Amino acid sequence: MQHCDTLFHAARIITQDAGRTVLDDAALAVRDGKIADAGPVAELEARWTSDERINLPNMLLMPGLVNAHTHAAMTFLRGLADDMPLMEWLQERIFPMERELTPHIVRTGSLMGFAEMLRTGCTACIDMYIFEQAVFEAAHTAGLRCLGGEVVFDFPSACCPDPRAALETTRALADAWKDDPLLRVAVCPHSVYTTSEKTLRDCARLAEELDLPLHVHLAETPAETAMSLKLHGRRPAAHADACGLLRPGAVVAHAVDVNEAELRLLAERGVRAAHNPSSNMKLASGAAPLPAMLRAGLTAALGTDGAASNNQLNMFTEMGRAALLHKLVCADPTVATAREILDAATLGGAAAFGDPALGRLEAGAAADFIALDLDSPNLRPMYNPVSHVVYAATGAEVRLTVAAGRVLYRDGRFTTFDYPALLREIDDIRDFVLRKTGTGR
Ligand SMILES: [Zn+2]
């Protein structure tokens, strides 16, 4: 007999292993934050003793979802400005409010975002924002994984007066968090339309020097393509490539206005695409060509983007919308299958995060998983669990969220922070925003 920390016993487990095995009446043995074993409960009971046993009858275990593109702190702007075009929304509503940011607002907004993510089954996210140090502090408090970076613009942000300062902040962040097992730093130029060619090249150089991943918004709208052609004489993907941004493992958010040749280029460079269907639909940015991405061999992940343009940070919502959006756009119900969408939200997210131990539940993988209540009326009867996860679940069925073997959320309670206190803090920030915007709403 071997000994583990905790044995989790559930009715079913979607493993996302190479054979996409779904186990019935099965268990996970968790030791030191990793999955030591997974399989039928009788076999695990014969092999493992444990300090603790958590029985999850009528529950489905599955890998924690990976939110591959977000700005967690932007929960503080949720619902402040809706129903506007991207550039007007950014320039008139979002950027002016972001000039008022403080580390406290970013920390509180981020913790609110992480609470929503944990509550809806997300255990890892890829973030970029202003005062990212405060985002990392919130992620450290919440206990989920975060690959984050200080956003680099050519204009001043509330945190950094210029791109040079933003890159120095990135360097300091990477040094400050280098020993944290759950938090990793990325170099995050905002986009090709908010940064000069020199800044983009400096970003690529820093990523190379410190061996950090790179995360950038790319080809979000046809308007961005027009701006890129005007500013740089190249379409966004070609410009990003010329500046050295399309490095292996780089995450490009959106990739909406991309042609077949650009998809092949992104795939050849080993870049990951973070598809944000809700944000793209809400801002009418267009539909990223997800089926064509997959055909081109490009690794696709799913993200929520920020709460100001979604307005949820719920990966179940994102999976459902992704599956439906592409069927409608392609006039083909066979594209964006439930299997492909779940793969994007788990294994694709793991690739974007740069950690192959995420997104699957088998021996050696990270103990990042969630449990869904199969007694929820919208999940009965069940013929195909993958279908239910993508098309029927809403995230409200999540009863347990575990990252690195640690229970972060269970049965309505967050275990790592004081949620009622967080609610009071976010309401104080709402009052501050109302005073600043003078909307009186
Ligand atoms: Zn974004």
Side-chain angles (χ1 to χ4, degrees):
M1 290 285 265
Q2 300 177 76
H3 190 76
C4 67
D5 302 328
T6 312
L7 198 76
F8 291 86
H9 174 201
R12 306 193 93 168
I13 302 179
I14 295 179
T15 64
Q16 290 295 84
D17 65 6
R20 301 296 187 273
T21 312
V22 177
L23 300 164
D24 289 327
D25 195 19
L28 298 176
V30 171
R31 187 171 58 190
D32 298 332
K34 291 192 174 127
I35 294 177
D37 201 356
V41 69
E43 290 180 17
L44 264 73
E45 281 170 343
R47 287 199 288 266
W48 295 90
T49 57
S50 62
D51 289 341
E52 187 186 11
R53 182 181 175 119
I54 296 184
N55 289 316
L56 303 161
N58 303 326
M59 298 234 187
L60 166 74
L61 286 185
M62 58 177 281
L65 301 169
V66 181
N67 185 349
H69 176 69
T70 192
H71 316 284
M74 290 183 85
T75 53
F76 89 103
L77 296 171
R78 191 196 322 260
L80 180 72
D82 302 311
D83 314 325
M84 297 170 79
L86 172 69
M87 290 302 163
E88 192 184 327
W89 172 83
L90 265 181
Q91 304 289 350
E92 293 180 14
R93 306 304 294 270
I94 302 303
F95 286 161
M97 207 51 237
E98 286 182 336
R99 285 196 276 277
E100 307 288 341
L101 278 173
T102 63
H104 170 72
I105 294 175
V106 172
R107 198 177 302 110
T108 306
S110 297
L111 193 55
M112 200 72 225
F114 296 141
E116 185 180 0
M117 290 186 213
L118 294 175
R119 174 68 190 79
T120 53
C122 171
T123 52
C125 69
I126 304 180
D127 188 271
M128 72 159 89
Y129 209 53
I130 301 155
F131 294 115
E132 191 72 13
Q133 165 70 20
V135 179
F136 273 50
E137 288 162 10
H140 187 69
T141 298
L144 84 173
R145 294 177 202 266
C146 181
L147 168 62
E150 183 74 24
V151 65
V152 182
F153 300 109
D154 262 26
F155 46 83
S157 76
C159 178
C160 298
D162 54 38
R164 195 189 156 103
L167 288 169
E168 283 312 306
T169 300
T170 306
R171 192 185 282 278
L173 265 181
D175 189 54
W177 296 94
K178 66 178 185 294
D179 296 324
D180 193 288
L182 303 187
L183 306 176
R184 291 178 63 216
V185 173
V187 181
C188 296
H190 177 263
S191 65
V192 300
Y193 61 92
T194 47
T195 44
S196 66
E197 180 162 343
K198 178 188 180 306
T199 300
L200 293 180
R201 288 184 188 280
D202 288 347
C203 287
R205 241 191 312 274
L206 187 67
E208 176 78 36
E209 181 197 328
L210 301 183
D211 193 23
L212 298 179
L214 205 136
H215 177 199
V216 61
H217 295 98
L218 192 77
E220 185 170 356
T221 59
E224 175 183 330
T225 303
M227 259 192 287
S228 178
L229 284 166
K230 192 169 157 203
L231 290 170
H232 314 297
R234 287 188 283 250
R235 290 171 56 87
H239 186 61
D241 194 38
C243 296
L245 297 187
L246 302 187
R247 299 159 45 79
V251 178
V252 298
H254 301 301
V256 167
D257 190 28
V258 285
N259 57 35
E260 294 278 348
E262 288 167 332
L263 289 178
R264 284 196 299 275
L265 173 72
L266 295 174
E268 271 167 29
R269 294 286 186 266
V271 164
R272 323 303 193 189
H275 173 38
N276 304 268
S278 298
S279 174
N280 296 160
M281 286 194 276
K282 184 162 186 257
L283 295 167
S285 301
L290 181 71
M293 284 178 186
L294 299 177
R295 278 199 305 275
L298 181 59
T299 300
L302 289 183
T304 60
D305 213 346
S309 66
N310 185 310
N311 298 353
Q312 309 172 27
L313 304 180
N314 180 339
M315 287 292 291
F316 281 91
T317 305
E318 232 48 49
M319 286 195 287
R321 287 180 181 165
L324 299 184
L325 169 65
H326 298 289
K327 289 169 173 60
L328 178 69
V329 168
C330 299
D332 181 354
T334 69
V335 301
T337 62
R339 162 57 55 208
E340 288 170 339
I341 296 297
L342 179 61
D343 282 0
T346 53
L347 299 165
F353 201 92
D355 188 345
L358 307 184
R360 59 194 174 88
L361 301 179
E362 56 187 326
D368 289 23
F369 55 88
I370 59 176
L372 273 64
D373 182 359
L374 293 177
D375 287 345
S376 306
N378 54 319
L379 301 187
R380 286 294 181 94
M382 178 178 276
Y383 303 105
N384 174 355
V386 173
S387 165
H388 272 13
V389 163
V390 172
Y391 292 113
T394 65
E397 309 81 0
V398 174
R399 294 286 179 272
L400 173 78
T401 304
V402 175
R406 186 175 174 209
V407 173
L408 304 180
Y409 170 82
R410 190 174 183 190
D411 294 329
R413 284 212 169 75
F414 296 97
T415 63
T416 50
F417 56 92
D418 180 347
Y419 185 62
L422 175 62
L423 291 177
R424 289 191 293 276
E425 283 183 38
I426 203 80
D427 281 352
D428 288 345
I429 290 171
R430 179 200 56 191
D431 294 345
F432 167 80
V433 169
L434 288 177
R435 283 197 302 278
K436 285 289 174 188
T437 56
T439 60
R441 276 187 291 139

